């Protein structure tokens, strides 16, 4: 993931609100989501006034932790770093302090059939926190406690509003960490909802593999415990993994039991560049095939390296580059570095530049962590359309090469970053949000890469999720039967369709 | 898992049919499943005659691959190595050859509302393939092709009837293997249905973590593709993990895309014994906390070692024993062995006995693989009630010690085997199936261990699943809201309740 944190972006976008240019856009507007092949990303917006009785019920539940202030509603309705247009904003923003309050809020909204939009760190990229039908935005930022840490069980129980960076700061003294690293502002609840991953997934798996159990409130107010705290269980339907990736469309997550990892004893960061993207991708595959369990293997193209050089005054070779991280004992990390160095040299790789000292490693890794800033620095005042597709490993080189022909021929600045060990490939497409022509060109490129990935047995989203942005690709990827099955499950758990409406399941699906 | 293969057991049980002693038991008998606290494992058996029209429809679909022969129906209705009583047997057994035939079979059965029991290797232990309501047993053994192998993607597409041992024989020449090792006769389809794992789960995860995508036929005949072939995806609800562990109650799996691993370059098997089970369990935890990714860490108690000595004429120290497997490069496997040896010595561990040569490793590992045979050898003519609970790591020692007091005080022969790195703990309780008293004592011990595990934040089943045997514990483990959520999902995907009725969801759950 290369999302940026919500707060730091606010100044960029408020001066340039993209809610269809005028505040009157908030009345009832029937903008239909694009048909199967359209590149239109605007979501159908229906707007029904929220009954006063509900507002007063919510005030009784939440006392002061509720606001109808326009700026707060606008901030919560227009995601900071997502290029998706907001056709409506929430009518009210609520800040629950407990699971009990969440249950009461959902029961009330269900009673009046008023939409609910769960809201975490708001760093998601596919419009997950848009409020196309207005309604109640439920901001989880007041529920951010660490409820229990079990060091010997290597697990921790947290509330959804805590950020992964905050959690890792808390865990550091115990020698433990949570091994997922999406955008800096992401919250654990949001990371569950979008089934996120990041650069360490190649070793530790995605959110799906690192959650032991959840507590989730359903629209009828029921609080469901999805599993025990055992690391392994075969007790009934896997409700934990049904909620992970359901993007707030089935319920609100109120508690998460996370599986933790030991902070590695020793690690080495190594960087190597190649004449072509294919060489770099082939080395990533060969490393996976060698049986070495790398901690990270990231691929950056020459345009991304150029952006980094310009933004940081560095002088890196502007060529396709692989960044590795090896962990384990001191001896084993060196052994892994040598083995992969030999693999790289068989694929025209340059000499390895590697670091073992903490500061040197931090400096090297900054190249990767600040990739998105570097793009913004190269294109001031532009928004970034961050794309996300994933293909079986052997197709990554072909997908990137085919895409780069389009990207390099485009008038827009486009850089490539891939979690190469998973076959997961991102681009940052920089466009001027005031130019409809540039937005369409960015969407065309995104569309091209998604269809290319689908034609290679791949998925339209490796880790950023569906939200509104990727809805129109699901049928081609999974077929109508799978979407009808999802809709049956949604209908039985959320009969009044109040949970995050307009997201994940395309509107044309019925059964 | 310590299940034994179906075929090899047939001779043991046919001579001692446990279908309530007389064939007339097949008429309508209203034996209710035990209430919340009963240890009664017999399942409610209703029997409705299967309409002739359906039998003729099935004959049209399947031609010769259908039988109503009593012995075949008995063999399919009375699971070979499961201690659960069968109150009914299927009326007809069908052997589909393709996904298309499976779809037609399900459509027909749904039309006549006749129960379907999916049947793989029949090595499951909790009564999953019992046919309490008779109906159609759908045996997948003719669908066992390897449909595609993608070496560079490290994945393979197979049909459900293939066994994991057969698959690994096929994969060996490519240097790849599928890293789950349940009972020898288990099929990949059955392993998905029961969400199985085995001794390698501590490193590679369970079935849940090693399946990329499924194709599954729903009761209405729809064929659902649950995901693309990308290793990572966030595209909509995780239908793959909903079907994994659904035990044939939502649909029939017809295709599985599996994630494969590289056969380790080098491995070391090490054995060490301890004065107490607590010492052994503490070493397992300390090893996990060291950050070493062991491939296996199995714990056997002194009674199990005695059984192995008697069955194999060995002379192993009869004390709580840990068996490790370390993998990686030659240097790193030795380094891991030394690190864990130091941990063991701080917990009163004996000297390590370890092997690096293939034959020596195979011999050492046989101790663990033949543990169940050794129990049968010690108790000829007895059945084994194989129990399965899982607790957070730090509770394993306490759970085993508390259980051993009961087990050692019992008149029955009971041995302990644990996948110590997951907190997963099995016992083999040997009982004479003709003695109702011994069966009740075995059930009492099983009941005691499950309730002990539940009191320690654990689960009633780490890997053997719910079937009929563990249904009565689910409400205490997960709460009624979780079971009602499962029932809603079952109801919406299988409105006529034809899929494996009487399994997984306790009959008293309604919403």
């Amino acid at each position: 993931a290369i999302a940026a944190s919500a707060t730091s972006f606010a100044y960029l976008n408020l001066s340039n609100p993209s809610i269809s240019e005028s505040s009157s856009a908030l009345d009832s507007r029937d903008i239909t989501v694009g048909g199967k092949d359209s590149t239109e990303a605007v979501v159908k917006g229906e707007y029904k006034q929220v009954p006063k009785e509900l507002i007063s019920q919510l005030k009784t539940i939440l006392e002061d932790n509720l606001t109808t202030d326009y700026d707060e509603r606008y901030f919560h309705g227009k995601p900071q770093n997502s290029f998706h247009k907001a056709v409506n904003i929430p009518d009210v923003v609520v800040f629950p302090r407990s699971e009990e309050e969440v249950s009461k809020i959902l029961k009330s909204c269900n009673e009046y059939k008023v939409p609910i939009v769960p809201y975490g760190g708001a760093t998601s990229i596919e419009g997950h926190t848009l409020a196309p039908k207005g309604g109640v935005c439920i901001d989880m930022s007041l529920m951010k406690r660490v409820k229990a840490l079990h060091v010997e069980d290597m697990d921790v129980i947290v509330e959804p509003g805590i950020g992964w960076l905050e959690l890792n700061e808390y865990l550091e003294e115990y020698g433990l960490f949570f091994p997922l690293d999406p955008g800096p502002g992401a919250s654990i609840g949001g990371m569950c909802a979008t089934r996120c991953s990041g650069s360490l997934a190649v070793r530790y798996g995605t959110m799906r593999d690192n959650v032991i159990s959840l507590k989730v409130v359903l629209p009828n107010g029921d609080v469901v415990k999805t599993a025990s705290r055992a690391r392994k269980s075969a007790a009934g339907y896997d409700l934990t993994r049904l909620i992970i990736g359901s993007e707030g469309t089935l319920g609100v997550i109120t508690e998460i039991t996370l599986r933790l990892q030991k902070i590695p004893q020793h690690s080495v960061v190594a960087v190597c560049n190649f004449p072509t993207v294919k060489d770099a991708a082939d080395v990533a595959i060969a490393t996976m095939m060698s049986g070495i369990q790398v901690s990270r293997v990231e691929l950056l193209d020459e345009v991304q390296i150029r952006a980094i050089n310009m933004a940081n005054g560095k002088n890196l070779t502007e060529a396709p580059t692989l960044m590795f991280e090896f962990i384990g004992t001191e001896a084993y990390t060196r052994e892994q570095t040598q083995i992969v160095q030999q693999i790289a040299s068989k694929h025209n790789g340059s000499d390895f530049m590697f670091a073992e000292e903490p500061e040197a490693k931090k400096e090297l890794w900054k190249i990767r962590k600040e990739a998105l800033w570097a793009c913004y620095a190269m294109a001031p005042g532009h928004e970034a359309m961050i794309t996300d597709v994933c293909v079986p490993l052997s197709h990554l080189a072909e997908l990137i090469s085919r895409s780069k022909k389009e990207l390099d021929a485009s008038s827009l600045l486009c850089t490539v970053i891939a979690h190469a060990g998973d076959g997961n490939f991102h681009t940052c497409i920089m466009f001027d949000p005031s130019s409809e022509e540039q937005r369409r060109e960015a969407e065309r490129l995104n569309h091209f890469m998604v269809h290319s990935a689908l034609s290679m047995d791949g998925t339209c989203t490796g880790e950023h999720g569906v939200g509104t942005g990727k809805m129109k690709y699901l049928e081609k990827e999974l077929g109508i039967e799978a979407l009808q099955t999802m809709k049956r499950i949604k209908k039985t758990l959320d009969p009044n369709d109040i949970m995050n409406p307009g997201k994940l399941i395309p509107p044309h699906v019925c059964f």
Side-chain angles (χ1 to χ4, degrees), chain A:
Chain A
I2 44 176
S5 83
T7 37
S8 61
F9 260 88
Y11 77 90
L12 253 184
N13 293 301
L14 265 191
S15 60
N16 190 343
S18 63
I19 295 195
S20 323
E21 284 59 57
S22 66
S23 63
S24 68
L26 300 190
D27 53 29
S28 163
R29 296 174 41 98
D30 206 5
I31 309 155
T32 321
V33 68
K36 246 195 234 168
D37 295 320
S38 108
T39 58
E40 185 55 49
V42 176
V43 170
K44 184 170 178 174
E46 278 158 50
Y47 181 75
K48 269 182 263 159
Q49 192 71 32
V50 169
K52 288 193 200 61
E53 299 78 357
L54 174 61
I55 300 281
S56 66
Q57 264 188 37
L58 292 174
K59 275 183 181 158
T60 320
I61 298 167
L62 290 139
E63 295 152 357
D64 302 336
N65 296 306
L66 170 150
T67 178
T68 53
D69 165 67
Y70 179 81
D71 290 340
E72 274 283 2
R73 289 163 51 214
Y74 177 86
F75 178 79
H76 280 83
K78 168 68 182 102
Q80 302 320 308
N81 59 325
S82 150
F83 49 87
H84 299 285
K85 281 189 187 171
V87 291
N88 274 313
I89 60 173
D91 296 74
V92 56
V93 183
V94 294
F95 302 82
R97 292 157 293 190
S98 68
E99 186 171 274
E100 205 198 334
E101 285 187 2
V102 172
S103 177
K104 287 178 183 165
I105 293 165
L106 265 61
K107 236 182 244 167
S108 298
C109 291
N110 205 31
E111 190 189 327
Y112 291 94
K113 296 190 171 60
V114 166
I116 291 221
V117 181
Y119 187 95
T123 58
S124 69
I125 286 173
E126 294 295 352
H128 295 88
T129 54
L130 288 172
K133 300 188 176 183
V136 178
C137 172
I138 181 167
D139 182 324
M140 305 306 284
S141 52
L142 292 187
M143 289 179 67
K144 55 190 305 177
R145 290 178 304 152
V146 174
K147 295 179 80 169
L149 170 65
H150 308 102
V151 175
E152 279 213 329
D153 298 329
M154 294 169 79
D155 68 51
V156 68
I157 303 178
V158 298
E159 290 183 323
I162 191 168
W164 63 278
L165 280 173
E166 281 167 272
L167 176 59
N168 278 336
E169 274 157 31
Y170 167 83
L171 293 170
E172 199 167 0
E173 66 176 280
Y174 301 97
L176 297 170
F177 79 114
F178 183 64
L180 273 78
D181 61 348
S187 69
I188 296 289
M191 289 159 70
C192 287
T194 55
R195 197 156 67 200
C196 86
S197 54
S199 64
L200 292 158
V202 64
R203 168 135 186 152
Y204 297 106
T206 72
M207 210 61 195
R208 183 191 81 201
D209 306 297
N210 288 281
V211 173
I212 294 172
S213 171
L214 296 172
K215 286 179 82 182
V216 57
V217 179
L218 300 183
N220 64 2
D222 274 6
V223 179
V224 173
K225 171 186 161 188
T226 64
S228 74
R229 198 164 58 84
R231 284 191 150 222
K232 218 173 66 166
S233 178
Y237 297 162
D238 192 343
L239 299 179
T240 309
R241 253 62 50 186
L242 177 64
I243 298 298
I244 292 173
S246 62
E247 303 184 2
T249 64
L250 296 178
V252 176
I253 295 166
T254 50
E255 184 186 280
I256 307 108
T257 301
L258 295 170
R259 186 186 165 106
L260 300 175
Q261 299 288 341
K262 189 92 170 88
I263 294 177
Q265 198 184 354
H266 195 81
S267 73
V268 170
V269 174
V271 181
C272 177
N273 58 66
F274 300 85
T276 69
V277 160
K278 173 141 178 38
D279 287 323
D282 287 347
V283 167
I285 293 172
T287 303
M288 298 295 289
M289 293 286 295
S290 72
I292 283 179
Q293 277 204 312
V294 282
S295 173
R296 287 177 163 125
V297 50
E298 302 281 286
L299 187 154
L300 295 78
D301 78 339
E302 66 280 5
V303 183
Q304 182 61 69
I305 299 292
R306 189 173 315 130
I308 289 162
N309 280 343
M310 287 175 65
N312 296 293
K314 286 189 180 294
N315 187 22
L316 302 163
T317 311
E318 292 178 4
T321 299
L322 277 185
M323 296 190 70
F324 292 95
E325 182 181 57
F326 305 110
I327 59 170
T329 59
E330 201 164 339
Y332 186 47
T333 44
R334 292 215 183 101
E335 192 180 18
Q336 292 172 76
T337 310
Q338 283 151 12
I339 292 170
V340 176
Q341 194 159 11
Q342 282 159 18
I343 295 174
S345 56
K346 287 180 199 140
H347 292 80
N348 315 312
S350 69
D351 291 342
F352 259 29
M353 187 171 54
F354 62 90
E356 296 191 66
E357 292 319 309
E359 276 320 301
K361 279 187 292 190
K362 226 174 168 185
E363 192 50 32
L364 255 188
W365 205 252
K366 251 174 81 182
I367 298 173
R368 168 64 189 80
K369 274 291 154 191
E370 292 181 0
L372 183 58
W373 310 111
C375 295
Y376 277 106
M378 249 174 120
H382 280 56
E383 272 195 33
M385 182 178 287
I386 299 165
T387 70
D388 163 43
V389 286
C390 192
V391 287
L393 288 178
S394 63
H395 296 319
L396 184 61
E398 161 70 8
L399 175 64
I400 296 180
S401 313
R402 202 191 287 185
S403 304
K404 271 184 75 65
K405 273 195 199 107
E406 288 292 318
L407 300 171
D408 295 346
S410 171
S411 58
L412 304 181
L413 167 70
C414 311
T415 70
V416 165
I417 291 183
H419 306 307
D422 305 321
N424 191 180
F425 156 57
H426 301 295
T427 56
C428 291
I429 306 173
M430 308 308 292
F431 70 99
D432 172 357
S434 63
S435 151
E436 205 44 38
E437 194 206 332
Q438 287 201 14
R439 174 190 290 274
R440 286 196 182 287
E441 167 63 357
E443 278 161 9
R444 182 189 68 81
L445 292 168
N446 187 16
H447 199 67
F448 174 87
M449 285 182 280
V450 170
H451 280 287
S452 302
L454 295 184
S455 71
M456 297 180 184
D457 263 355
T459 177
C460 69
T461 168
E463 57 183 14
H464 291 170
V466 177
T468 59
K470 291 280 175 67
M471 278 201 295
K472 56 177 171 291
Y473 301 114
L474 283 190
E475 185 168 349
K476 181 164 184 185
E477 177 171 339
L478 299 172
I480 193 70
E481 295 83 1
L483 302 190
Q484 288 168 332
T485 304
M486 293 182 198
K487 184 110 185 196
R488 283 178 204 278
I489 293 169
K490 163 79 173 175
K491 191 90 184 108
T492 193
L493 298 185
D494 179 21
N496 297 325
D497 192 15
I498 64 164
M499 292 311 306
N500 219 7
K503 313 291 168 62
L504 198 143
I505 301 177
H508 70 279
V509 174
C510 54
F511 60 88

